Amino acid sequence: MVLAETSMTLEDDRRSILGRAAIVVGLLAYAGLLAGAWWAVVNLLPDQMTLQAFGRSKTVADLHNRIVTGIGLVAVILPTALWIECLVVGWRRSSTRALIFGPTMSMRTDLAVLVLGQGHVLDLVGKAMMLGLSMISGLAIRDWIQTRTGFAVDLTSLPFAAQLVIYFYVYTFFDYWTHRLDHSRFFWPLHRYHHSAQDFCVVTSARQHPAAFSAFFVINLPLGILGATPAVMIFVSVLVTTVGFLIHSQLTSDWGWVGRWVIQSPLHHRLHHKLDMTEPTGHFAMAPIWDRLFGTWRGTADPALVIGVAQPYRHGFWIVPDLLRDYWHFWSGFVVRRKD
């Protein structure tokens, strides 16, 4: 009996090792294809093109960076996050397997939001819902201030890596206060859409309401005004997006001291998403240092915590009714006080 159990354990270990090896080989092959595609873009496609149609011409510049930022989420960042999760938790527990072979209704909502976001449908909806305010440029405001006062924050003399670290933590500082604002009475109806997820999977990070007033004004504008160059902003965005995918994944680690002080862990973020609000939520920051400084590092992380919100959501691919209802709750909340 003991020999049989030992043999089964060894067989399971062998399968686990082979499975992880297959995952690594698959990622390396995928990375090779991406590298080849990027070489083709850089060497075969000009960085500036002039398009002509109906007697008019339009010059499109900086094509290489546009392609990178346009497809980076789906082609690079998301697959990398899925691979890391799969490598750590195994194929059977991975978001990839769940999304392909048996997504829950909550996961289907995440997928719908991801697809519509990447198709820029939600971008257009967001511009309309934010009354065009998202078109304002922080860099333009910074130039306006510099022209009139002669003052402007400029960190471009620092090494790029130093700029990246500084602006990442600047981002997380503003993100912390944005997140706390999102949990306030007035902005909660829009942020509630993200918290409505009943299951974590990597793409839960994409479940965001398009009318993100707070994020735009409390993060995007300040970073532009503080002199973050487009190149730095791209890399900060990549880092933030990658961490966002991982902390909504099936990983159940607290990441040790890194998760307690440097980057929020998936286990602590699950605590932030808890359904039971008998004790107030905390862990608002992607960088825990801000929660510790401002007194919102609280509670005991538990991988079995139930997540979600009390407000009923339909879940599934048809997301329009919930988006519109939450948008209505946002505006009407300035007049009507809801108990939520």
Side-chain angles (χ1 to χ4, degrees), residues 44 63 93 147 154 170 175 199-200 248 311 324:
L44 304 178
L63 271 177
R93 286 183 51 211
T147 300
D154 188 356
V170 169
D175 180 59
D199 305 286
F200 264 0
H248 292 91
Q311 179 75 34
L324 293 178

Side-chain angles (χ1 to χ4, degrees), residues 225-237:
I225 293 170
L226 290 174
T229 64
V232 170
M233 287 287 281
I234 288 172
F235 278 88
V236 168
S237 178

Side-chain angles (χ1 to χ4, degrees), residues 82-241:
L82 289 169
W83 170 78
I84 292 172
E85 181 204 54
C86 200
L87 193 63
V88 174
V89 306
W91 169 252
R92 290 185 177 278
R93 286 183 51 211
S94 69
S95 299
T96 307
R97 182 177 184 272
L99 291 169
I100 294 173
F101 296 109
T104 64
M105 295 301 287
S106 180
M107 290 179 184
R108 292 180 184 185
T109 298
D110 298 337
L111 283 172
V113 176
L114 176 69
V115 170
L116 290 174
Q118 288 306 293
H120 299 292
V121 174
L122 291 186
D123 288 349
L124 295 174
V125 172
K127 286 181 173 61
M129 286 184 166
M130 286 192 279
L131 312 177
L133 294 174
S134 62
M135 304 293 286
I136 301 172
S137 166
L139 289 174
I141 295 176
R142 177 176 180 272
D143 292 341
W144 183 86
I145 294 172
Q146 184 178 17
T147 300
R148 283 155 181 77
T149 66
F151 174 79
V153 176
D154 188 356
L155 302 182
T156 54
S157 61
L158 295 176
F160 186 84
Q163 293 184 56
L164 182 59
V165 171
I166 290 170
Y167 279 115
F168 173 74
Y169 278 95
V170 169
Y171 178 100
T172 59
F173 172 78
F174 286 118
D175 180 59
Y176 171 81
W177 289 107
T178 298
H179 209 162
R180 288 193 66 170
L181 183 64
D182 284 339
H183 280 256
S184 68
R185 170 196 161 191
F186 295 111
F187 287 90
W188 172 245
L190 296 179
H191 188 58
R192 182 180 64 199
Y193 190 75
H194 176 66
H195 277 259
S196 67
Q198 296 176 329
D199 305 286
F200 264 0
C201 70
V202 168
V203 295
T204 302
S205 178
R207 183 193 288 235
Q208 306 287 345
H209 199 286
F213 283 94
S214 58
F216 174 72
F217 285 104
V218 187
I219 299 177
N220 295 6
L221 285 182
L223 282 176
I225 293 170
L226 290 174
T229 64
V232 170
M233 287 287 281
I234 288 172
F235 278 88
V236 168
S237 178
V238 167
L239 182 56
V240 167
T241 303

Side-chain angles (χ1 to χ4, degrees), residues 20-96:
R20 282 172 166 76
I23 293 169
V24 172
V25 171
L27 179 73
L28 292 175
Y30 182 73
L33 289 173
L34 282 181
W38 175 239
W39 179 91
V41 167
V42 171
N43 291 278
L44 304 178
L45 186 70
D47 198 35
Q48 179 173 306
M49 294 179 65
T50 300
L51 306 175
Q52 294 186 348
F54 306 107
R56 295 178 178 273
S57 62
K58 170 72 174 178
T59 299
V60 181
D62 202 22
L63 271 177
H64 296 164
N65 278 334
R66 287 172 182 265
I67 292 172
V68 170
T69 55
I71 67 172
L73 176 65
V74 172
V76 181
I77 306 173
L78 178 56
T80 300
L82 289 169
W83 170 78
I84 292 172
E85 181 204 54
C86 200
L87 193 63
V88 174
V89 306
W91 169 252
R92 290 185 177 278
R93 286 183 51 211
S94 69
S95 299
T96 307

